[in-house]
Amino acid sequence: MRLAELSERSGVSTATIKYYLREGLLAPGRQVNTTTAEYDEDHLRRLRLVRALIQVGRVPVATAREVLAHVDDESLGRTIRLGAALWALPQVPEPDGSDEEVRAAHHEVDQVMERLGWSNARSLSSISPAHRSLVAAVATLRRLGYAWDAELMLPYARLMHRAAVHDLDFVETRSSEAEKVETAVAAAILFEPALRALHRLAQEEESARRYGFE
Amino acid sequence: MRLAELSERSGVSTATIKYYLREGLLAPGRQVNTTTAEYDEDHLRRLRLVRALIQVGRVPVATAREVLAHVDDESLGRTIRLGAALWALPQVPEPDGSDEEVRAAHHEVDQVMERLGWSNARSLSSISPAHRSLVAAVATLRRLGYAWDAELMLPYARLMHRAAVHDLDFVETRSSEAEKVETAVAAAILFEPALRALHRLAQEEESARRYGFE
């Protein structure tokens, strides 16, 4: 397809597409003559991911380029490729290990991983931004007087593991390897707002069931 | 306790506590003489919630005051009191009802609520910010080419309902009615980052289980 059709089908303006091409976020089309290039379904799919990163995830262009470089790196296995892509996203800073609540949070998170047999997550924990985010979030809760310990986290961790199983099952319905990794990155950015809203809606439903409307 | 002890126990500086007192976010202490006021456990608890709203939730002071007014309104039933407090938080704007993807998202969200028997959430849907956020999030996903339909949402909605049951069970462990409502508001703001991090950690675990580290 031509640039105009790529714009039409993606809902992204031709000016923005040209900007993404210049910034290297989108591979050049196949040049059919000096003024015209031809684009395909891969371009359309990549354009979606770029929009997800930049417009929804508010990821800076340089970061998006880094994420996409990992997505495209076929020399990596899927876990590492996906991990590298997600880990290139902006992350929380390392929590202060000398802080008492951070140490307590670290211990409780370790307990959760141990009790659920998350041996892979445990072996990644020193480098994983997800682990770091969790320790930081739990330390904040504890500092504010909410005693989030392993006992309290366990049922949520079990539910989130089941959500992760659904996530990866969905990713596996995609046909090509490139599409799988792209979908996983898009999911990490785009599914969160929907899950958060579903959670709030479920809280409303459950609250009304228990306490009615009076 | 005196102001200095309240500051010590809450980790909030005396200057900040005085600011919260001036802004009406914290009730005045019991005046023991012209220069000294006495504070109690209720002040300490409220101070935690104010910090959760302002420091973690980044809620403006005027909004925090509105949220707290609903928390304190004993004339309301718990569902409405909690709803009013949460609904006072900054929310997404109403999605454009003439947009095709918004209408499609609305239909799919209705399907989810119907199939799960969420009759309370359905009857609140025209005024609920959670419903509006979900429609907006699903419309964004659809616009970016990710076909989030009822079928795809159902397993997540079921998991989030189970999370909501845990949330409310936790809220019910608090002793007083005021504490219950405060905990529910704090949970809505503070638990999300921890849940999101747990979800990412579970994705890492599951991904490594399926694809290893190569």
Side-chain angles (χ1 to χ4, degrees):
Chain A
M1 72 192 99
R2 300 294 154 85
L3 185 65
E5 191 186 341
L6 182 63
S7 166
E8 170 77 26
R9 286 184 58 192
S10 65
V12 180
S13 71
T14 55
T16 302
I17 295 175
K18 285 177 182 169
Y19 170 68
Y20 291 161
L21 285 164
R22 274 200 308 280
E23 290 290 333
L25 297 171
L26 199 63
R30 190 173 55 81
Q31 212 68 35
V32 289
N33 61 47
T34 49
T35 56
T36 316
E38 184 73 20
Y39 301 90
D40 58 22
E41 298 297 321
D42 287 348
H43 285 96
L44 188 60
R45 220 183 51 226
R46 174 55 57 98
L47 201 45
R48 272 188 205 149
L49 178 59
V50 171
R51 283 182 75 200
L53 285 164
I54 293 180
Q55 290 181 18
V56 182
R58 301 186 186 284
V59 168
V61 167
T63 306
R65 201 186 290 118
E66 198 183 335
V67 170
L68 296 173
H70 294 301
V71 168
D72 292 334
D73 188 345
E74 291 172 12
S75 72
L76 303 171
R78 196 187 296 168
T79 302
I80 299 294
R81 194 169 164 190
L82 178 56
L86 291 178
W87 296 5
L89 292 171
Q91 305 290 351
V92 300
E94 184 70 36
D96 174 8
S98 71
D99 180 290
E100 191 189 324
E101 292 301 353
V102 169
R103 283 208 307 270
H106 209 294
H107 175 76
E108 298 300 329
V109 170
D110 278 351
Q111 288 288 312
V112 169
M113 293 191 295
E114 188 181 328
R115 288 180 56 183
L116 293 179
W118 289 6
S119 55
N120 297 292
R122 287 184 85 188
S123 69
L124 290 169
S125 70
S126 64
I127 52 166
S128 156
H131 181 269
R132 201 189 308 149
S133 302
L134 183 56
V135 169
V138 172
T140 301
L141 283 162
R142 297 178 68 91
R143 211 170 289 122
L144 291 170
Y146 300 93
W148 260 55
D149 56 16
E151 209 55 57
L152 208 118
M153 270 185 274
L154 273 167
Y156 292 107
R158 286 196 188 96
L159 292 173
M160 289 301 133
H161 188 200
R162 292 182 53 185
V165 168
H166 284 294
D167 298 336
L168 292 186
D169 285 348
F170 177 70
V171 163
E172 288 183 5
T173 63
R174 309 288 100 177
S175 49
S176 73
E177 186 63 27
E179 239 185 304
K180 287 188 171 82
V181 179
E182 285 188 1
T183 301
V185 173
I189 295 166
L190 298 173
F191 289 13
E192 284 309 336
L195 279 186
R196 191 167 53 229
L198 268 174
H199 188 188
R200 290 272 175 101
L201 198 63
Q203 286 170 334
E204 283 178 7
E205 173 64 27
E206 185 63 21
S207 183
R209 279 187 197 179
R210 292 189 188 197
Y211 316 120
F213 291 108
E214 307 87 68
Chain B
M1 71 191 97
R2 299 297 155 83
L3 185 65
E5 191 187 339
L6 183 63
S7 166
E8 170 77 28
R9 285 185 58 193
S10 64
V12 180
S13 72
T14 57
T16 302
I17 294 176
K18 284 179 182 168
Y19 170 68
Y20 291 161
L21 285 164
R22 274 200 308 279
E23 291 291 333
L25 296 172
L26 199 63
R30 190 174 55 81
Q31 213 67 35
V32 289
N33 61 48
T34 49
T35 56
T36 316
E38 184 72 21
Y39 300 90
D40 57 22
E41 298 298 320
D42 288 348
H43 285 96
L44 187 61
R45 219 182 52 228
R46 175 54 58 96
L47 202 44
R48 273 188 204 147
L49 178 58
V50 171
R51 284 181 74 200
L53 285 165
I54 292 181
Q55 290 180 17
V56 182
R58 299 185 188 286
V59 168
V61 167
T63 306
R65 202 186 290 118
E66 198 183 335
V67 170
L68 296 173
H70 294 302
V71 168
D72 292 334
D73 188 345
E74 291 173 12
S75 72
L76 301 172
R78 197 188 296 166
T79 302
I80 299 294
R81 195 170 164 189
L82 178 55
L86 291 178
W87 296 5
L89 292 171
Q91 305 290 350
V92 299
E94 184 70 36
D96 174 8
S98 70
D99 180 290
E100 192 188 324
E101 293 300 354
V102 169
R103 281 208 307 271
H106 210 291
H107 175 75
E108 298 300 329
V109 170
D110 277 352
Q111 289 289 311
V112 169
M113 293 191 295
E114 190 182 327
R115 287 179 57 184
L116 293 179
W118 288 7
S119 55
N120 298 292
R122 286 184 84 190
S123 70
L124 290 170
S125 70
S126 64
I127 51 166
S128 156
H131 180 269
R132 200 188 309 148
S133 303
L134 183 56
V135 169
V138 172
T140 300
L141 282 162
R142 298 179 67 91
R143 210 170 289 121
L144 291 171
Y146 300 92
W148 260 54
D149 57 14
E151 209 56 56
L152 208 117
M153 268 184 276
L154 274 168
Y156 291 107
R158 285 195 189 96
L159 291 173
M160 290 302 132
H161 188 198
R162 292 181 54 185
V165 167
H166 284 294
D167 298 336
L168 293 186
D169 285 350
F170 176 69
V171 164
E172 288 184 5
T173 62
R174 309 289 100 175
S175 49
S176 74
E177 186 63 27
E179 240 186 305
K180 286 188 172 84
V181 179
E182 285 188 0
T183 301
V185 173
I189 293 167
L190 298 173
F191 289 13
E192 285 308 336
L195 279 186
R196 191 166 53 231
L198 269 174
H199 188 188
R200 291 271 175 101
L201 197 63
Q203 286 170 334
E204 283 178 7
E205 172 63 27
E206 185 63 21
S207 184
R209 280 186 195 180
R210 293 189 188 197
Y211 316 121
F213 289 109
E214 307 85 70

